Amino acid sequence: MDLTGPGEGELSGRMLPPLPLHFIQGDELARPSRLYGGGAPVPLDSVLDGTVAGVITSACRLPGDRYGDLVERPVGVGDRRDVLLHAERPLGRLEPGTEVRSPDLRTTALLRTYHPGLEAVPAGSGEVLGDPSATGTRPRVQPLWPDPGVESDGELLEPESWLPAPGQGIGVLVCAPRSAHHFGGVGVDPATDAVLQAERAVGDAFPFAVPLVRAQLFGDWLSIHGVVLAASGDRMVRARVRGHREDPVGVGSRLAEVLMARGAALLGPRERTEGPSSAPAL
């Protein structure tokens, strides 16, 4: 798995032991067939009880306080862009009314914001991204990582507009405390950890809207670009801040305050009734 450091373009973190690696899909773990071959979904409880020794996944897929006993070690940053698949034309040239498969609330809101003439269709909650048998032929948008092989199959979307969800594409090693000894040589990558802490500080401030954020390190400085969208796609608030890398939570919290001051608090509740959760399935 290729994980690069945040902003520097160099390899970051340690090579993982040759243990089974899965990717979180909702409350389950599933191996994308294009990376590791097929495989039945594995319950997330299998990580907690040690049946699956270790998991590497995108940080945005972690279920939060519900599984607070999990050990989490940020190890590197993958490709954070999105890709349009199964489309005969670029996204901006699709016919009005074209249905585009959307795996999460973030993608739905972005499609509504930048391409209001298209019809965002939420993917089924049980659909595993990266499994060709599940995608069909309808145009769809999905994160590029952890399946970078699809880059040659579709259109890469402009990253400044299609900002990631907090933690999207940030690789974290996850295991139960009883399995941590398997990964004694895998430490927390400080640069990745700073980026993740900053982004989570922004995301945690907006449970009522759709927060998007990208934090990047430039030497000792941490730069964060954040956007908060209404789920309807008709309103947006944007801001950037920067601060010292030693205080990532403080920098993220300051960005959240700026976004609030610009009107993010007025964007309204999420539309929880349509499609799966806002975190992309990676």
Side-chain angles (χ1 to χ4, degrees):
M1 177 162 310
D2 223 2
L3 296 175
T4 60
E8 293 90 349
E10 300 176 354
L11 288 177
S12 180
R14 311 265 184 114
M15 293 299 294
L16 297 178
L19 295 172
L21 298 178
H22 305 265
F23 290 85
I24 290 180
Q25 168 78 19
D27 287 342
E28 295 179 322
L29 307 178
R31 280 179 283 188
S33 59
R34 296 188 65 163
L35 287 180
Y36 300 108
V42 178
L44 185 53
D45 287 341
S46 294
V47 178
L48 288 168
D49 65 20
T51 303
V52 174
V55 176
I56 233 185
T57 189
S58 182
C60 68
R61 295 305 306 158
L62 297 178
D65 294 340
R66 181 175 170 190
Y67 292 95
D69 292 335
L70 287 173
V71 175
E72 176 187 307
R73 298 177 187 173
V75 295
V77 179
D79 196 319
R80 310 192 69 187
R81 294 173 296 176
D82 293 272
V83 61
L84 172 69
L85 299 174
H86 310 302
E88 296 180 354
R89 302 178 183 179
L91 188 60
R93 293 174 52 197
L94 292 177
E95 293 290 336
T98 298
E99 293 185 348
V100 179
R101 180 76 65 165
S102 167
D104 51 69
L105 184 57
R106 163 188 169 266
T107 309
T108 298
L110 283 166
L111 285 168
R112 289 173 175 172
T113 299
Y114 296 124
H115 303 279
L118 302 178
E119 183 68 29
V121 179
S125 59
E127 188 170 347
V128 178
L129 296 187
D131 180 358
S133 66
T135 59
T137 58
R138 178 181 290 163
R140 65 175 297 134
V141 174
Q142 73 174 62
L144 184 59
W145 191 80
D147 193 3
V150 300
E151 178 175 351
S152 60
D153 298 335
E155 174 198 2
L156 291 175
L157 303 181
E158 202 280 310
E160 282 299 299
S161 298
W162 285 74
L163 286 176
Q168 176 185 332
I170 295 179
V172 290
L173 169 68
V174 182
C175 63
R178 71 178 69 187
S179 301
H181 66 279
H182 289 297
F183 305 97
V186 182
V188 171
D189 179 64
T192 304
D193 189 44
V195 166
L196 181 56
Q197 288 189 54
E199 293 191 2
R200 282 179 168 169
V202 178
D204 290 346
F206 300 100
F208 51 83
V210 184
L212 315 175
V213 58
R214 178 184 286 110
Q216 294 176 287
L217 282 173
F218 299 93
D220 289 334
W221 293 99
L222 183 65
S223 175
I224 317 181
H225 178 197
V227 171
V228 181
L229 297 174
S232 59
D234 60 348
R235 289 169 293 167
M236 172 195 300
V237 177
R238 184 187 298 268
R240 293 177 187 262
V241 302
R242 78 172 196 162
H244 202 276
R245 66 184 292 170
E246 295 301 321
D247 184 24
V249 175
V251 179
S253 297
R254 184 150 52 87
L255 175 60
E257 291 173 359
V258 173
L259 290 165
M260 286 284 196
R262 294 184 178 181
L266 305 177
L267 294 185
R270 291 188 177 193
E271 297 173 7
R272 297 184 182 276
T273 57
E274 61 167 293
S277 68
S278 61
L282 298 184

